[in-house]
C-alpha cells in the first residue's frame, strides 16, 4: 500500500493515465540493480529514487575522484577520495526516504554476478569498460534478467535494452569486443559533462517503462544520440539464438576482451611496491605519458614528461639500461607506450598498474608531486 505521504509525493505519477496508484505500487515493489555509480549511474539513480522504485542496489568499488565532479552530479568536493556507493546512498536517502538503498561495495566478478543479479528484477549497466559489459550481459542471460544498457563517448551515446521478452542480448549487437586500445574510455579521451545526464535519464526511462509495462521499450533496438550534431538514429538488432542459450560465465572476461595481452611480458608494478622502492632511494626513472593539461594538475617530481603521442619521435630520450616505470592516469596509455617501445628494443620497462589513480587508492603517502 501507499502511505498518505507517498501518495502526495508521487501525485504527478498517479494522475497519469496508465500509471495511477497501481503503477506506483509496481514501482514500489520493483527491485533494480545499478552497476556503476559514475557518470551514467548518477542520473539513473537520482531519477529511479525520485520515481519511487522500492529497492535499488548500488554496485561500485571505486572512490570519487576530483575529475568525476565535471559530470557525476551526485558528488561534490567533500566526497573526493570517499567510496562512491557510500556517498551516493547518503545523498539519495535524503532525496527519498521511502526507497530501500542497498550498497554493494565490491568488484563484480564471474563468481558473484549471477547470484547478485538473482536478487533483482532489472539490471542497469552504467559501467565504462568492455569486460564488465560482457560479464553483466552474460550474467543477465543466465539469471533471466532484462538489462538496460548505456554507453557514452565524447559527444555521443548509445542506449538499448537486452534480454527482454526473448529479445537480443548485448552479444547479438557486439559478438566480440574491439581490440584493446581501439576504443578509449572517457578518462583517456574525455566526455562532455552533460552527456551522461542525457543518456542516463533515457536509461532510467527505459527501466520505468519495463516496470510499468508501458510504451515501446528499446528491445531489439539501439538508439544512437549525437548531442553535438543534434542527431538521433535508431538501429535494429538481430537476435542470435546462440547468445541467449548461455549456461555459464566466461572464465576470464579481461582475457576475452584482450586486456591481458596489453601487459607486456607480464611486467607491471603496483603502487605500494613502487612507493617502497622510491623511499629506499632506488634508481628508478619515471616516464609520465599523460597530456600537458593533466600534468598541470599533478606533475610527478623528477619524472620525464613524454605525452603518448610524442613517444614515436622522442623515444630515444628514455634510458635503455636503467629501470623505467611508465605512468599515466589509469595505466592504459602507459601500456600502449610500452607496447611501442618494445618494438624499439627496450627491455627495462615496467608499467604502474592502475596509474596514479591506483596510487591515490592504495598508498597512504602522496605520490611525489609538486
Amino acid at each position: 500500500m501507499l502511505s498518505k505521504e507517498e501518495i502526495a509525493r508521487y501525485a504527478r505519477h498517479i494522475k497519469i493515465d496508465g500509471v495511477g496508484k497501481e503503477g506506483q505500487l509496481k514501482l514500489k515493489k520493483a527491485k533494480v540493480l545499478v552497476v556503476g555509480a559514475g557518470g551514467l549511474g548518477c542520473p539513473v539513480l537520482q531519477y529511479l529514487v525520485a520515481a519511487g522504485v522500492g529497492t535499488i542496489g548500488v554496485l561500485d568499488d571505486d572512490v570519487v575522484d576530483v575529475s568525476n565532479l565535471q559530470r557525476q552530479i551526485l558528488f561534490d568536493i567533500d566526497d573526493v577520495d570517499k567510496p562512491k556507493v557510500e556517498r551516493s546512498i547518503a545523498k539519495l536517502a535524503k532525496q527519498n526516504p521511502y526507497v530501500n538503498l542497498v550498497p554493494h561495495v565490491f568488484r563484480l566478478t564471474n563468481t558473484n554476478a549471477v547470484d547478485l543479479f538473482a536478487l533483482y528484477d532489472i539490471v542497469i549497466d552504467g559501467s565504462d569498460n568492455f569486460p564488465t559489459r560482457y560479464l553483466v550481459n552474460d550474467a543477465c542471460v543466465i539469471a533471466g534478467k532484462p538489462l538496460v544498457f548505456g554507453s557514452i563517448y565524447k559527444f555521443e551515446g548509445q542506449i538499448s535494452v537486452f534480454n527482454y521478452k526473448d529479445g537480443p542480448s548485448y552479444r547479438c549487437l557486439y559478438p566480440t569486443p574491439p581490440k584493446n586500445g581501439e576504443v578509449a574510455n572517457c578518462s583517456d579521451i574525455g566526455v562532455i559533462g552533460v552527456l551522461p545526464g542525457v543518456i542516463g535519464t533515457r536509461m532510467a526511462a527505459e527501466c520505468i517503462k519495463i516496470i510499468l509495462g508501458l510504451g515501446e521499450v528499446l528491445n531489439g533496438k539501439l538508439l544512437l544520440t549525437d548531442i553535438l550534431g543534434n542527431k538521433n538514429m535508431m538501429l535494429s538488432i538481430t537476435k542470435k539464438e546462440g547468445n541467449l542459450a548461455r549456461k555459464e560465465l566466461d572464465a576470464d572476461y579481461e582475457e576475452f576482451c584482450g586486456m591481458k595481452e596489453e601487459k607486456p611480458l607480464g611486467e607491471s608494478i603496483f603502487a605500494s611496491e613502487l612507493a617502497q622502492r622510491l623511499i629506499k632511494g632506488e634508481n628508478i626513472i619515471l616516464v609520465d605519458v599523460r597530456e600537458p593539461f593533466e600534468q598541470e594538475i599533478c606533475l610527478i617530481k623528477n619524472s620525464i614528461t613524454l605525452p603518448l603521442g610524442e613517444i614515436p619521435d622522442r623515444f630515444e630520450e628514455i634510458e635503455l639500461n636503467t629501470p623505467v616505470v611508465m605512468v599515466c592516469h589509469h595505466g592504459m596509455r602507459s601500456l600502449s607506450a610500452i607496447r611501442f617501445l618494445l618494438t624499439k628494443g627496450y627491455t627495462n620497462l615496467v608499467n604502474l598498474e592502475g596509474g596514479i589513480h591506483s596510487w591515490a587508492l592504495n598508498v597512504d603517502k602522496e605520490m611525489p608531486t609538486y
Side-chain angles (χ1 to χ4, degrees), residues 130 153 176-185 189 257 262 332 336 339:
F130 288 101
Y153 181 84
T176 58
K179 293 180 180 179
N180 198 13
E182 284 186 346
V183 180
N185 59 37
I189 49 86
C257 293
E262 290 291 331
M332 299 303 293
S336 296
R339 189 167 62 246

Side-chain angles (χ1 to χ4, degrees), residues 237-297:
I237 304 171
T238 301
K239 183 175 70 170
K240 300 174 183 177
E241 294 294 345
N243 292 328
L244 305 176
R246 176 173 288 269
K247 301 298 182 183
E248 59 184 29
L249 299 175
D250 286 356
D252 192 324
Y253 281 86
E254 287 195 352
E255 183 176 3
F256 170 70
C257 293
M259 301 281 288
K260 290 195 171 180
E261 296 177 359
E262 290 291 331
K263 297 182 179 179
L265 306 179
E267 294 292 337
S268 62
I269 188 170
F270 288 93
S272 55
E273 180 185 350
L274 177 59
Q276 291 301 316
R277 293 177 65 176
L278 290 173
I279 291 170
K280 291 177 181 178
E282 292 189 28
N283 185 20
I284 298 174
I285 297 174
L286 302 178
V287 177
D288 185 354
V289 303
R290 295 173 302 149
E291 295 300 312
F293 77 89
E294 296 175 279
Q295 294 166 357
E296 289 178 10
I297 298 171

Side-chain angles (χ1 to χ4, degrees), residues 31-42:
K31 298 179 180 180
V32 176
L33 175 66
V34 179
V35 178
L40 292 172
C42 283

Side-chain angles (χ1 to χ4, degrees), residues 71-255:
R71 65 197 178 282
Q72 298 181 17
I73 54 177
L74 266 174
F75 309 121
D76 57 51
I77 194 66
D78 293 332
D79 299 320
V80 171
D81 295 330
K82 296 177 182 177
K84 288 184 177 180
V85 169
E86 172 191 305
R87 298 312 304 146
S88 60
I89 286 182
K91 296 182 180 184
L92 293 167
K94 294 180 180 180
Q95 181 182 344
N96 190 345
Y98 300 102
V99 172
N100 177 32
L101 295 160
V102 184
H104 300 292
V105 190
F106 52 80
R107 183 174 294 275
L108 193 70
T109 69
N110 57 3
T111 61
N112 60 30
V114 174
D115 288 341
L116 177 63
F117 290 7
L119 302 175
Y120 293 90
D121 304 318
I122 300 169
V123 176
I124 299 181
D125 184 8
S127 64
D128 62 356
N129 64 86
F130 288 101
T132 301
R133 289 170 185 168
Y134 281 96
L135 170 58
V136 169
N137 172 80
D138 294 352
C140 282
V141 170
I142 294 171
K145 306 297 180 178
L147 167 62
V148 179
F149 164 79
S151 69
I152 51 178
Y153 181 84
K154 292 185 178 179
F155 295 93
E156 301 172 3
Q158 301 181 358
I159 313 160
S160 188
V161 174
F162 300 114
N163 313 322
Y164 178 64
K165 290 188 175 180
D166 199 36
S169 76
Y170 179 77
R171 285 183 183 260
C172 297
L173 177 62
Y174 299 115
T176 58
K179 293 180 180 179
N180 198 13
E182 284 186 346
V183 180
N185 59 37
C186 69
S187 66
D188 292 335
I189 49 86
V191 62
I192 195 71
V194 298
L195 181 62
V198 174
I199 302 301
T201 51
R202 291 298 301 263
M203 293 167 69
E206 291 303 303
C207 179
I208 290 171
K209 283 154 57 179
I210 292 170
I211 295 169
L212 295 176
L214 292 177
E216 184 178 345
V217 174
L218 286 170
N219 180 26
K221 297 178 181 179
L222 179 70
L223 176 61
L224 306 175
T225 297
D226 173 4
I227 64 171
L228 197 61
N230 287 319
K231 298 176 183 177
N232 290 301
M233 181 184 298
M234 190 79 75
L235 303 178
S236 295
I237 304 171
T238 301
K239 183 175 70 170
K240 300 174 183 177
E241 294 294 345
N243 292 328
L244 305 176
R246 176 173 288 269
K247 301 298 182 183
E248 59 184 29
L249 299 175
D250 286 356
D252 192 324
Y253 281 86
E254 287 195 352
E255 183 176 3

Side-chain angles (χ1 to χ4, degrees), residues 36-51:
L40 292 172
C42 283
V44 167
L45 287 165
Q46 286 176 292
Y47 275 98
L48 293 185
V49 167

